[in-house]
Amino acid sequence: MSAAKCKGFIFIVLFAFLLGGCSADPQTSEPMEVSLNEMTFSVEGDEELGHQLLTYDITLTHSKGLAINVDSIEPLIAGWIEERMLDHEIVELEKLEDNDLRIKGTVMFDSNELSKEEMLELASQDESVQGILFRTVAGASYQAVKIGTKTELIEIGD
């Protein structure tokens, strides 16, 4: 093969490759979105033991582009409860429809140093359950936080 034919062949191959790359459909990725649709919680106490039991029930909807590692899900608990936490348990983690999860759990915390009035004051300043912490299947960490009627998805570093 002569040098001119070789250069022509290489030019045709490169042109075909470039033309093929330009005509391919651009890849679109679905935005990663989360919505905390329902968040209910209640606190009941055992005054003799100085313990309070926080029970929560959260329904989370996520976009198809967000593959959540369900084993990594944890509630985002208010700091004043978290610093007094004695025990935490996710009682039920249920996959509902396509991209819906229902998370039910309990948090036992020490309330010995708090009066009912102080707990009510702290609860009015800071929601007891603020959202969900989770990792994706790919390993990225996020927190989904309820702010008013909207859910904000925030990536958190290690």
Side-chain angles (χ1 to χ4, degrees):
M1 190 186 282
S2 70
K5 286 184 179 180
C6 187
K7 286 180 184 178
F9 177 74
I10 292 173
F11 177 77
I12 291 173
V13 170
L14 286 175
F15 183 74
F17 181 77
L18 290 173
L19 186 62
C22 292
S23 66
D25 292 332
Q27 291 187 359
T28 57
S29 62
E30 183 178 335
M32 296 191 312
E33 296 177 346
V34 171
S35 178
L36 297 170
N37 300 323
E38 294 179 38
M39 286 183 37
T40 59
F41 51 89
S42 64
V43 178
E44 25 184 277
D46 184 340
E47 292 183 27
E48 286 182 27
L49 293 176
H51 296 163
Q52 299 289 318
L53 182 67
L54 168 69
T55 304
Y56 59 87
D57 187 346
I58 302 168
T59 303
L60 176 141
T61 301
H62 62 90
S63 60
K64 290 180 183 176
L66 186 62
I68 295 176
N69 176 351
V70 293
D71 294 331
S72 70
I73 292 176
E74 291 289 330
L76 182 58
I77 305 295
W80 68 273
I81 295 174
E82 188 171 24
E83 66 189 21
R84 295 170 173 84
M85 189 172 3
L86 301 171
D87 189 28
H88 170 250
E89 179 181 8
I90 293 180
V91 177
E92 182 179 339
L93 182 57
E94 177 183 9
K95 290 183 181 183
L96 301 173
E97 297 177 13
D98 294 335
N99 299 317
D100 290 355
L101 297 171
R102 184 172 185 187
I103 305 126
K104 292 182 179 182
T106 59
V107 175
M108 178 75 69
F109 65 96
D110 183 356
S111 60
N112 275 322
E113 298 175 9
L114 296 173
S115 68
K116 283 186 180 183
E117 293 78 20
E118 289 171 320
M119 281 193 288
L120 289 171
E121 177 66 24
L122 288 167
S124 71
Q125 295 172 12
D126 207 5
E127 290 285 339
S128 299
V129 180
Q130 300 168 339
I132 295 290
L133 298 167
F134 65 89
R135 294 181 76 82
T136 63
V137 173
S141 296
Y142 290 92
Q143 63 181 15
V145 181
K146 189 81 167 184
I147 300 175
T149 59
K150 295 184 178 186
T151 303
E152 206 167 305
L153 184 63
I154 304 163
E155 185 170 7
I156 51 179
D158 290 326

